[in-house]
Amino acid sequence: MSEPILALSGLTRRFGALKAVDDVSLTLVPGEIHALIGPNGAGKTTLMGLISGRIAPDSGTVRLVGQDITRLSVARRARLGLGRSFQVSSLIPDYTARGNVMLALQARQGHSYRFVWPVMRDRPLWQAATDILARVGLDTRASVETAFLSHGERRLLEIAVALALDPRCFLLDEPMAGLGSEGTARMVDFLQELKQQAPILLVEHDMDAVFRLADRISVLVYGRIIATGTAAEIRANSQVRAVYLGEEAAP
Amino acid sequence: MDRLRKEWVLNAVLAGALFAVPLWALMSDEPFIITLATRIAILAIAAVGLNIALGLGGMVSFGHALYFGLGGYVAGIAAHHAFHGTPVLGLPGTNQMLPIWAIAMVVSGTLAGIVGALSLRTSGIFFIMITLAFAQMGFFFTLSWPAYGGEDGLPIFMRNQFPGLNTARPWDMFLIAYGVLLLSLGLFAMLRAARFGAALMAIRQNPDRAAAIGISPFGIRLVGFILSGMITGLAGAMMADLTRFVSPAMLAWTMSGELIVIIILGGVGRLFGPVAGAAILVGFEVFFGGLTEHWQFWLGLVLLAVVLFARGGLVGLITGRARNV
Ligand SMILES: Nc1ncnc2c1ncn2[C@@H]1O[C@H](COP(=O)(O)OP(=O)(O)OP(=O)(O)O)[C@@H](O)[C@H]1O
Ligand SMILES: [Mg+2]
């Protein structure tokens, strides 16, 4: 197996008496979609926070392409190549769709301390943002302020922003949430394409989507990983069926 | 597009009026009005500075009087030593506005860097209180510093000089203030449109998102805060040039409040918000101050109305919501 892009080992985070994430180790290897599933409150978003740096772990390490990033700030990690989307859409509300993508491109280039030249007249940046919006099918909505985009459009814009960062790996927290069946189908196709660019750690509740997309699945329950394997292995795992999949995965 | 054009028309009207009124006063020999317009221009410059921190960056500094007063004291102290022919920190004093302004900007920018570095780790009410606390320290320091007048303040006996102009004439003084105001507005517009402004405004709206895409909020905010302090410091030096007097009152918390009031009245984050706000404030003071000594009460009511019903201030009321990238 090739060297993992992302490697977590022994990550633990408590909130008071609650162990939200308990001794979690997992890897994300090139070319894969690794899905993280588990019941509500299992600790999935907390784990994403530990990886992105928004939450500090009590113990354990996070490595990105071999480099220990456990103590780095959110912004440093992003510059090193962690591209994450948020469970609740979190964009710049007053900026247009294009403005959000341009900001991400500017951040990617590391050139935010430029005081003179107007960004909106930066043709290459403008064009690059327009191209990325076209890839997610938002090109016709490029000039709309984010606050006026629909929920589904904002989810796509989240992906466009992550794309603009051209990251080493994607961390996607419930990209299908609230998308409806048509939107979900589109997102599934889209994630297939996205994984060609960089591996994806995917938190998702939509089991159909997960089983279609994931190369590997890890199941998180009460902060612990109880099983990791291919879709077929997870479906067949009796412990997983008992605590989480229940009827849903019965043949 | 339409909103945008409307705002440019309003800006042109404001800039034109601020020039035309004192010009008319010059023709009709009303020096008092010229000096009033000069005061508006200088207060507007101070507010343009605060507008970088507050309007673009969302940093509600309740201590910008510190930079305003510091700029004033730089001008006062330089002129004091020039007048007495004594050195200050090993350098000769000067009564030339240009070097005084440069020093005022460096000094206030340095202090803004220190205050910013210590206070930008906090946010919300804590940030407001810490910036206020630093300004109060400056206020009490000047109050108890007898070398430069203490609570009596420091007069500037001869007005500081500007190459090619006679600064003793109100109209010349107005031209200086008006020119610097236009420059500072140009700087504000330039910063806002640049990558730096895009980052700063994004951080105001959603710092977590900015960090998640790799823009470190602290560094961008700190640079914004320093630039903000420098412009307000420049305005302080110019106010001392105009009034030929500096005193601890320039560093008082009421001065910090006045700058915030100007921005709220004019329109937070709007290019010409400081100009509109300064004109309203000084206008109120002059017209209602003559009628009643409680003019500040009425100003307070206007402020309340703006906060409740016209969040964009005067500029927002006339041209609608601001449009970003
Ligand atoms: N900041 C916090 N302070 C205290 N408890 C927290 C905090 N954040 C999360 N928790 C708790 O930690 C546990 C894990 O929460 P988390 O949001 O990570 O779950 P999740 O797997 O993402 O759930 P969902 O599927 O509903 O999104 C929950 O019991 C939650 O209440
Ligand atoms: Mg969650």
Side-chain angles (χ1 to χ4, degrees):
Chain A
M1 200 157 78
S2 46
E3 196 210 343
I5 299 289
L6 188 67
L8 316 181
S9 76
L11 275 184
T12 300
R13 168 72 201 211
R14 293 183 193 80
F15 291 117
L18 173 79
K19 273 191 175 173
V21 171
D22 186 5
D23 194 25
V24 166
S25 301
L26 64 76
T27 59
L28 185 65
V29 297
E32 77 167 338
I33 293 183
H34 190 153
L36 192 62
I37 62 172
N40 290 113
K44 303 178 297 292
T45 298
T46 305
L47 183 59
M48 289 296 215
L50 294 175
I51 301 170
S52 69
R54 200 171 44 81
I55 304 172
D58 295 318
S59 58
T61 58
V62 181
R63 287 176 175 279
L64 183 65
V65 211
Q67 185 186 354
D68 187 342
I69 59 167
T70 318
R71 305 265 156 249
L72 301 185
S73 70
V74 175
R76 275 298 301 283
R77 293 180 201 212
R79 287 200 292 274
L80 288 172
L82 275 186
R84 75 179 281 243
S85 79
F86 291 75
Q87 179 171 357
V88 178
S89 281
S90 164
L91 297 150
I92 313 295
D94 283 0
Y95 285 17
T96 59
R98 186 189 283 110
N100 268 283
V101 177
M102 285 177 78
L103 187 73
L105 287 169
Q106 147 181 347
R108 172 73 202 150
Q109 297 171 352
H111 295 161
S112 285
Y113 292 97
R114 295 272 170 91
F115 301 91
V116 179
W117 189 250
V119 241
M120 283 296 142
R121 297 236 194 96
D122 189 329
R123 276 288 144 196
L125 202 69
W126 172 285
Q127 195 53 51
T130 309
D131 292 347
I132 289 170
L133 286 170
R135 274 185 67 188
V136 302
L138 277 180
D139 39 342
T140 57
R141 306 285 281 160
S143 304
V144 178
E145 281 167 53
T146 306
F148 299 115
L149 292 175
S150 73
H151 173 76
E153 288 168 339
R154 268 183 245 168
R155 304 265 27 151
L156 287 171
L157 184 54
E158 284 269 353
I159 303 289
V161 167
L163 267 175
L165 297 175
D166 190 18
R168 304 300 297 263
C169 66
F170 293 101
L171 308 176
L172 305 183
D173 198 351
E174 299 198 30
M176 330 275 181
L179 275 191
S181 58
E182 196 186 320
T184 300
R186 246 172 99 194
M187 188 64 87
V188 167
D189 289 345
F190 192 70
L191 295 188
Q192 292 284 15
E193 201 189 310
L194 197 62
K195 85 170 188 184
Q196 312 299 326
Q197 190 173 334
I200 302 172
L201 184 61
L202 174 70
V203 168
E204 188 49 62
H205 276 297
D206 184 326
M207 285 306 126
D208 289 338
V210 166
F211 284 127
R212 289 237 299 284
L213 279 168
D215 300 290
R216 286 195 295 160
I217 299 173
S218 288
V219 184
L220 197 67
V221 178
Y222 293 122
R224 297 189 75 97
I225 291 188
I226 60 165
T228 296
T230 62
E233 285 164 359
I234 293 298
R235 269 189 224 262
N237 185 311
S238 56
Q239 198 190 354
V240 173
R241 286 168 62 166
V243 301
Y244 183 47
L245 293 176
E247 302 300 305
E248 213 180 311
Chain B
M1 270 301 113
D2 199 33
R3 275 183 298 181
L4 211 59
R5 177 155 329 134
K6 241 182 175 175
E7 180 156 353
W8 279 111
V9 171
L10 177 68
N11 293 351
V13 168
L14 285 168
L18 186 57
F19 190 80
V21 170
L23 183 65
W24 163 82
L26 176 69
M27 320 267 218
S28 15
D29 199 23
E30 298 264 17
F32 172 72
I33 301 234
I34 301 178
T35 299
L36 219 54
T38 312
R39 238 170 75 75
I40 290 174
I42 294 174
L43 279 177
I45 298 166
V48 168
L50 179 60
N51 209 15
I52 296 174
L54 196 157
L56 300 184
M59 297 174 271
V60 185
S61 166
F62 196 12
H64 258 49
L66 180 59
Y67 316 111
F68 191 68
L70 213 61
Y73 269 93
V74 166
I77 291 170
H80 175 82
H81 286 278
F83 186 76
H84 292 285
T86 50
V88 49
L89 301 174
L91 295 166
T94 174
N95 62 355
Q96 288 297 320
M97 287 185 190
L98 290 174
I100 286 174
W101 294 350
I103 297 166
M105 289 174 80
V106 170
V107 170
S108 46
T110 306
L111 202 70
I114 296 168
V115 172
L118 293 172
S119 58
L120 281 170
R121 305 275 174 199
T122 67
S123 61
I125 190 75
F126 296 103
F127 181 77
I128 297 177
M129 287 302 149
I130 290 179
T131 49
L132 172 64
F134 276 110
Q136 288 299 89
M137 278 165 58
F139 173 73
F140 286 111
F141 180 75
T142 54
L143 207 60
S144 57
W145 196 21
Y148 297 111
E151 62 180 317
D152 295 331
L154 184 65
I156 301 173
F157 294 112
M158 304 246 294
R159 185 166 272 160
N160 291 330
Q161 305 292 309
F162 192 93
L165 292 172
N166 179 0
T167 54
R169 287 205 306 245
W171 176 250
D172 291 37
M173 206 46 217
F174 169 77
L175 285 181
I176 293 170
Y178 189 77
V180 174
L181 173 61
L182 293 185
L183 284 177
S184 70
L185 288 169
L187 180 79
F188 182 90
M190 185 182 86
L191 288 176
R192 188 175 60 172
R195 288 182 177 220
F196 174 75
L200 187 58
M201 290 187 292
I203 289 165
R204 179 191 75 226
Q205 297 175 57
N206 193 343
D208 290 340
R209 159 58 72 177
I213 62 176
I215 298 175
S216 178
F218 180 76
I220 296 279
R221 279 187 177 138
L222 183 61
V223 171
F225 198 76
I226 291 172
L227 291 169
S228 169
M230 288 172 79
I231 308 284
T232 303
L234 167 65
M238 297 179 69
M239 191 57 97
D241 289 336
L242 177 69
T243 58
R244 292 188 291 128
F245 180 65
V246 288
S247 76
M250 281 181 88
L251 292 91
W253 68 270
T254 47
M255 186 67 224
S256 299
E258 221 165 274
L259 293 177
I260 295 178
V261 167
I262 287 175
I263 290 186
I264 292 176
L265 288 175
V268 177
R270 310 304 282 261
L271 178 60
F272 269 69
V275 181
I280 297 173
L281 184 83
V282 171
F284 233 85
E285 187 183 324
V286 170
F287 292 108
F288 293 91
L291 299 177
T292 159
E293 56 183 302
H294 303 303
W295 66 273
Q296 291 190 341
F297 170 78
W298 299 106
L299 182 70
L301 280 190
V302 171
L303 195 62
L304 202 64
V306 167
V307 171
L308 291 178
F309 305 112
R311 297 290 294 270
L314 182 73
V315 175
L317 193 67
I318 296 178
T319 69
R321 229 163 62 81
R323 195 176 152 77
N324 279 310
V325 284

